[in-house]
């Protein structure tokens, strides 16, 4: 207990605690908001500068072929910026949750199947084998939109780092008091030293190729924490990374 609290009459401690708790939550909300604004300003500067340069190249194009190439790059830059903004907004909503959408029983397998629908065409385009083993009627207590963000980002991460001709495996397995979601890939994997840091916002493993916002796994971690789920990275039997999310150990973080 804090030193000043020790000097208060015992009868006043519950009242002081009741007053301080919402003030501490408000302070945390302001801190998260400040961090979000600072992160957004920093991370949006680079893609917006790139879009400006790409637009200038399009204006200066000397031939239809150069115009077409510049337009392709401009569209890619806009798509990257759009994805970054969407993920920043997702994190902002998750940071503010607890009083939003209530938790309720969900069929985790059905939710994952829905998310796989949009992934399959992208996997086919890259000649990636997508295998799934989803047990029926595996229920968890959760928030639908948040869990969809978790699954979508895990699948997107696996697809992003699995090379052409590789494999992704997705499993939903019942547990005694919950469920296990496992997403494994045949990509380069994640070194042990980086496994804790990959969930930090905007962190990317040094030497990582390809494009990414560094926010996808931060969203996964935030949703897992919100649901009281455990999140672990292991070595995939396919040679890459395997993300395991186990639900059911604790539900104290879920809103009523």
């Amino acid at each position: 207990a804090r030193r000043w609290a020790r000097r208060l009459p015992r009868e006043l401690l519950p009242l002081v605690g009741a007053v301080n708790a919402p003030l501490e939550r408000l302070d945390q909300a302001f801190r998260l908001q400040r961090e979000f604004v600072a992160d957004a300003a920093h991370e949006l500067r680079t893609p917006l500068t790139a879009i400006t340069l790409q637009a200038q190249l399009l204006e200066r194009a000397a031939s239809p072929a150069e115009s077409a190439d510049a337009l392709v790059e401009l569209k890619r830059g806009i798509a990257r910026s759009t994805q970054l903004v969407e993920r920043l907004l997702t994190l902002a909503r998750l940071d503010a949750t607890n009083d939003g959408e209530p938790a309720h029983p969900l069929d985790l397998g059905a939710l994952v199947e829905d998310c796989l629908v949009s992934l399959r065409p992208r996997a086919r385009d890259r000649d990636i084998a997508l295998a799934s083993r989803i047990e029926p009627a595996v229920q968890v207590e959760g928030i639908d939109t948040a869990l969809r963000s978790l699954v979508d980002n895990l699948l997107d991460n696996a697809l992003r780092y699995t090379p052409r001709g590789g494999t992704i495996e997705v499993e939903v397995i019942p547990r005694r008091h919950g469920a296990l979601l496992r997403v494994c890939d045949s990509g380069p994997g994640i070194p042990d030293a980086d496994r804790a840091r990959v969930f930090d916002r905007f962190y990317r493993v040094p030497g990582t190729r390809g494009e990414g916002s560094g926010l996808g796994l931060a969203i996964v971690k935030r949703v897992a924490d919100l649901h009281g789920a455990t999140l672990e990275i292991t070595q995939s039997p396919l040679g890459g990374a395997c993300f395991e999310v186990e639900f059911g150990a604790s539900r104290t973080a879920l809103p009523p």
Side-chain angles (χ1 to χ4, degrees):
R2 296 176 181 177
R3 291 182 179 178
W4 58 264
R6 295 174 185 173
R7 297 194 296 268
L8 290 173
R10 183 177 302 174
E11 293 79 4
L12 290 179
L13 291 178
L15 176 61
V16 172
V19 171
N20 284 340
L23 291 176
E24 289 174 357
R25 288 196 297 269
L26 184 62
D27 180 69
Q28 182 183 25
F30 281 133
R31 178 180 58 78
L32 290 171
Q33 185 182 53
R34 289 193 298 269
E35 291 176 359
F36 170 77
V37 171
D39 288 344
H42 175 74
E43 294 301 321
L44 284 170
R45 186 178 297 115
T46 298
L48 290 177
T49 300
I51 288 175
T52 301
L53 294 174
Q54 290 155 359
Q56 292 172 352
L57 290 174
L58 181 59
E59 288 179 336
R60 299 170 185 169
S63 67
E66 288 184 6
S67 295
D69 290 342
L71 183 59
V72 168
E73 290 303 316
L74 179 59
K75 288 180 177 179
R76 286 177 179 169
I78 292 172
R80 287 194 294 270
S81 298
T82 300
Q83 183 192 60
L84 175 57
V85 170
E86 289 174 347
R87 288 185 169 176
L88 281 168
L89 291 174
T90 296
L91 275 172
R93 286 193 295 268
L94 290 171
D95 284 342
T97 198
N98 273 352
D99 298 318
E101 183 179 347
H104 58 275
L106 292 169
D107 186 330
L108 182 62
L111 187 148
V112 171
E113 288 283 12
D114 283 347
C115 295
L116 285 170
V117 169
S118 61
L119 186 74
R120 294 186 190 280
R122 296 169 57 198
R124 284 196 297 269
D125 289 344
R126 295 185 53 195
D127 193 29
I128 292 175
L130 181 57
S132 60
R133 183 168 71 89
I134 298 176
E135 297 287 338
V138 178
Q139 286 207 335
V140 297
E141 191 83 9
I143 302 170
D144 184 270
T145 53
L147 287 178
R148 287 181 186 275
S149 291
L150 179 146
V151 175
D152 282 338
N153 279 286
L154 280 179
L155 295 177
D156 180 76
N157 182 78
L159 186 65
R160 189 181 299 275
Y161 295 109
T162 299
R164 181 173 292 276
T167 303
I168 297 172
E169 291 183 350
V170 182
E171 295 179 279
V172 174
I173 304 167
R175 288 288 191 255
R176 183 176 179 183
H177 297 294
L180 175 67
L181 168 64
R182 182 183 289 131
V183 179
C184 303
D185 62 63
S186 60
I190 300 174
D192 290 347
D194 292 299
R195 288 183 181 178
R197 294 202 62 193
V198 294
F199 298 112
D200 294 345
R201 300 180 184 194
F202 305 112
Y203 181 80
R204 301 189 71 203
V205 176
T208 298
R209 296 182 178 181
E211 301 167 352
S213 64
L215 288 174
L217 293 180
I219 291 173
V220 170
K221 180 67 164 61
R222 182 69 184 94
V223 176
D225 289 346
L226 179 64
H227 287 77
T230 61
L231 179 59
E232 185 179 4
I233 304 174
T234 61
Q235 181 71 26
S236 169
L238 302 172
C242 191
F243 290 82
E244 297 185 348
V245 187
E246 186 160 2
F247 300 89
S250 170
R251 294 185 179 131
T252 56
L254 286 168

